[in-house]
């Protein structure tokens, strides 16, 4: 099963993608996580990506597409995957579609997690991310057992630089201009599914499981 998660920054794509990955035993692939791992390790890709991420802009397609295509070609992706944060532009979606076409393959579902802009700033300012394993929490909605400490690995939780309100506004603009057109793109291919992302995360997950079976 090959799944794409669509939705604004902070809509809950990552939260849901992790649950999907676990239930259906497929890898969760987040381009944001891949970039952050590269930044942490000081790679050239990381240093280049950071410039765009800090400004709330998209990393250029040339850089993004290559790392994603390499990742989905790995052995553990044979039975499918859930993509979180890719594609984010029409050209990215086209490259993925063509690459899969060549293998006689396709995406099965594009799930749009719908959350209005008004809710997003609150979601992002309350998001806390683990510096080590990438797990995410929310100070009010999905708190860790101990404040500031990751449940899964015990590392420190931080507010991402790009989750500060000024940057979030840029990211929302970028989302509406460059990423939202993908909803129409996948609707035309008859694989678009919409879920209400404003309800409790366990309720969102139930709606997704009802779609995936
Ligand atoms: P969020 O969890 O808010 O959706 P991500 O962790 O997915 O954010 O992405 C963080 C940043 O990484 C984005 O704002 C963007 O700069 C960069 N990024 C991630 N995925 C892509 C992509 N597919 N294309 C371009 N840039 C990306
Ligand atoms: P995305 O990957 O789309 O950027 P995340 O999954 O990281 O979004 O979620 C953004 C923030 O909102 C996180 O702090 C997360 O814990 C929280 N969150 C996720 N789903 C819900 C929900 N259904 N209700 C309230 N908060 C949520
Ligand atoms: Zn952790």
């Amino acid at each position: 099963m090959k799944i794409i998660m669509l939705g604004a920054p902070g809509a809950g794509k990552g939260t849901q993608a992790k649950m999907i990955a676990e239930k259906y035993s497929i890898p969760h692939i987040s381009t944001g996580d891949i970039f952050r791992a590269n930044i942490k390790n000081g790679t050239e890709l990381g240093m280049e990506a950071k410039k765009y991420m800090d400004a709330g802009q998209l990393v250029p397609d040339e850089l993004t597409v290559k790392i994603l295509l390499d990742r989905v070609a790995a052995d553990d992706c044979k039975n499918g995957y859930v993509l979180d944060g890719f594609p984010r532009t029409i050209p990215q979606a086209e490259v993925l579609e063509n690459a899969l076409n060549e293998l006689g393959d396709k995406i099965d579902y594009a799930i749009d997690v719908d959350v209005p802009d008004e809710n997003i700033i609150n979601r992002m300012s309350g998001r806390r991310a683990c510096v080590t394993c990438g797990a995410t929490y929310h100070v009010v909605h999905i708190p860790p057992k101990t404040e500031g400490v990751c449940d899964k690995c015990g590392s420190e939780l931080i507010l991402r630089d790009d989750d500060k309100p000024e940057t979030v506004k840029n990211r929302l603009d970028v989302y509406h201009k460059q990423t939202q057109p993908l909803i129409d793109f996948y609707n035309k291919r008859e694989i678009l599914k919409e879920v209400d992302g404003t309800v409790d995360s366990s309720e969102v997950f139930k709606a997704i499981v009802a779609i995936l079976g």
Side-chain angles (χ1 to χ4, degrees), residues 15-167:
T15 302
Q16 297 302 323
K18 288 190 180 83
M19 292 195 269
I20 294 169
E22 195 172 323
K23 181 170 168 71
Y24 297 94
S25 303
I26 50 177
H28 164 216
I29 301 176
S30 156
T31 37
D33 284 352
I34 295 173
F35 288 136
R36 281 184 291 276
N38 275 276
I39 291 171
K40 203 171 163 193
N41 295 328
T43 70
E44 214 168 296
L45 170 69
M47 288 187 304
E48 187 63 20
K50 188 177 189 322
K51 293 192 254 171
Y52 298 93
M53 293 169 75
D54 284 350
Q57 301 295 323
L58 294 183
V59 178
D61 288 345
E62 304 81 73
L63 291 177
T64 309
V65 158
K66 189 180 175 316
I67 59 159
L68 190 277
L69 291 184
D70 284 351
R71 179 65 189 88
V72 297
D75 253 6
D76 66 331
C77 290
K78 281 209 178 76
N79 295 324
Y81 41 76
V82 51
L83 300 185
D84 160 19
F86 186 99
R88 263 182 154 100
T89 64
I90 296 277
Q92 288 181 13
E94 286 171 344
V95 170
L96 177 64
E97 187 172 62
N98 292 338
L100 288 172
N101 259 338
E102 277 175 27
L103 304 168
D105 207 350
K106 60 176 179 46
I107 297 293
D108 299 298
Y109 298 99
I111 301 175
D112 178 38
V113 183
D114 187 32
V115 175
D117 286 9
E118 305 87 85
N119 303 21
I120 294 292
I121 302 271
N122 164 284
R123 287 269 181 108
M124 307 297 255
S125 58
R127 171 155 66 183
R128 294 294 179 274
C130 174
V131 291
T132 303
C133 77
T136 51
Y137 302 86
H138 189 282
V139 289
V140 177
H141 306 299
I142 307 177
K145 292 195 184 82
T146 309
E147 196 189 317
V149 180
C150 180
D151 289 352
K152 300 206 172 77
C153 76
S155 296
E156 182 198 358
L157 301 179
I158 55 152
L159 173 67
R160 271 165 48 181
D161 274 344
D162 62 341
D163 279 351
K164 293 178 178 148
E166 265 319 295
T167 317

